[in-house]
Amino acid sequence: MKAIKLAEPWSVSCVELEKPTPKPGEALIRVITAGICGSDIGAFRGTNGLVSYPRVIGHELAGIVESIPENNKNGIKVGDRVVVDPYLYCGHCYPCSIGRTNCCTDLKVLGVHVDGGMAEYYCHPADMLIKIPDGMTWEQAAMAEPLTISLHGIHRGGLKAGEYCAIIGAGPIGLVAGMVAQAYGAHAILLDLVQERLDFAKSLGIEHVINSGKEDAVQRVAEITGGMMAQQVMECSGANPAVRSTLDLVSNAGRITLTGWPKKETSLPTDVITKKEVDIRGARTSAGEFEEALDLIFTKKVDMMKILTKTVSMDEAPDTIIDIEKNPGSYMKVVVRVGEE
């Protein structure tokens, strides 16, 4: 079978591997579509310290079940169209015991710690598959996983209708977070340094955009919110100055969710945290959010197809990954068509 594999950083190719055999408790999936994620590009660059090599990439997966144990918890059957929850957890540690499986002390992410599923076939725990709604396209299904990341950040901040949500970083996660915020009845304020991304955000219907390189972001958020500032600030860029700025943009008694991954430590004024009594919450991956993500996509409350740059074949995937690394501004989301239904 074909698979997209990193031999080492800067070395990606479409290779031939043996078709996998499911272990007890696993399903065999014929993969139809797989999204290319920013973490895949980080793995290609060698800048993601969690990735080991060689590594088959891919964790944004949709496909058809070829075999599955009958007693799986979601009632999935052979022939069902499914997406894959790619966050493998132990089920025994403290975070797992309280349902926060994304914080598992032994978390393993497909394409990072273990081989991913950008391959014609993939074996995965049978209880970690979610059925796709009838009528959903394969491209839509492949974009459920990135939507869960944005959803999880919004959920961690407890966003409510009518509130203001300032989102830093107009990449795929930030853009989708803005669409989610508005689907929740909140007001999205998207900040970025790149005007082209902000223009794209406006074309998606994002209510407010701020070019933080050309405008006084704190002043603009104050104007938009009538001086209250944003009840939730979601940091999606991972830039240290952006992380620091969250404390200036958040309201008193507000919430900050940190989704981006800074390369180095950020110094924060703890007196501001105390003065404003701010809640600061990490937001890593997702936990139990695939069903909602699929519903939001299917009902077009969040139209993920608006951020799809293009669909490519398996043979085109390596060159596409190389080009995304060279020209990141030319891409939002790319889906690889792995197989046919």
Side-chain angles (χ1 to χ4, degrees), residues 59-299:
H59 62 270
E60 302 174 359
L61 310 173
I64 300 170
V65 175
E66 296 249 314
S67 69
I68 190 166
E70 288 187 4
N71 61 344
N72 66 87
K73 73 174 186 180
N74 291 332
I76 304 293
K77 299 180 175 59
V78 170
D80 281 350
R81 304 160 77 241
V82 297
V83 291
V84 168
D85 183 338
Y87 305 114
L88 303 172
Y89 55 90
C90 74
H92 307 295
C93 66
Y94 170 66
C96 287
S97 74
I98 59 171
R100 293 176 63 180
T101 54
N102 59 312
C103 308
C104 175
T105 55
D106 192 32
L107 187 72
K108 291 181 173 60
V109 180
L110 305 193
V112 177
H113 310 88
V114 296
D115 279 342
M118 199 174 288
E120 292 181 293
Y121 292 91
Y122 189 72
C123 295
H124 198 66
D127 290 342
M128 297 186 69
L129 304 176
I130 302 92
K131 192 172 179 179
I132 299 167
D134 293 338
M136 176 174 277
T137 70
W138 287 111
E139 285 77 15
Q140 286 177 314
M143 292 198 284
E145 190 278 340
L147 175 51
T148 69
I149 307 302
S150 301
L151 265 179
H152 189 68
I154 294 293
H155 289 166
R156 287 285 290 150
L159 187 66
K160 299 178 181 66
E163 291 187 328
Y164 289 91
C165 183
I167 300 157
I168 304 173
I173 300 305
L175 287 167
V176 174
M179 290 194 284
V180 169
Q182 292 181 180
Y184 276 27
H187 303 281
I189 307 169
L190 190 59
L191 300 86
D192 202 281
L193 296 168
V194 181
Q195 188 59 45
E196 289 79 6
R197 292 200 169 207
L198 295 172
D199 293 340
F200 182 64
K202 287 299 286 184
S203 77
L204 296 178
I206 300 300
E207 188 174 359
H208 303 282
V209 299
I210 298 172
N211 187 321
S212 49
K214 297 179 179 178
E215 304 175 76
D216 184 327
V218 175
Q219 181 180 331
R220 285 284 292 117
V221 171
E223 290 170 359
I224 292 166
T225 63
M228 180 175 54
M229 308 306 288
Q231 290 99 332
Q232 180 174 347
V233 179
M234 183 170 167
E235 205 298 300
C236 301
S237 74
N240 295 96
V243 174
R244 168 61 188 85
S245 74
T246 60
L247 289 171
D248 301 321
L249 302 175
V250 71
S251 68
N252 283 27
R255 297 93 58 194
I256 294 169
T257 55
L258 302 176
T259 299
W261 287 74
K263 299 290 190 295
K264 58 184 180 180
E265 185 175 310
T266 306
S267 178
L268 297 176
T270 58
D271 60 319
V272 176
I273 298 171
T274 303
K275 181 182 178 182
K276 287 189 170 183
E277 199 172 72
V278 175
D279 292 340
I280 300 178
R281 304 170 184 176
R284 181 186 186 184
T285 65
S286 64
E289 278 129 334
F290 271 89
E291 288 84 355
E292 183 182 357
L294 288 166
D295 179 68
L296 287 171
I297 293 171
F298 190 59
T299 59

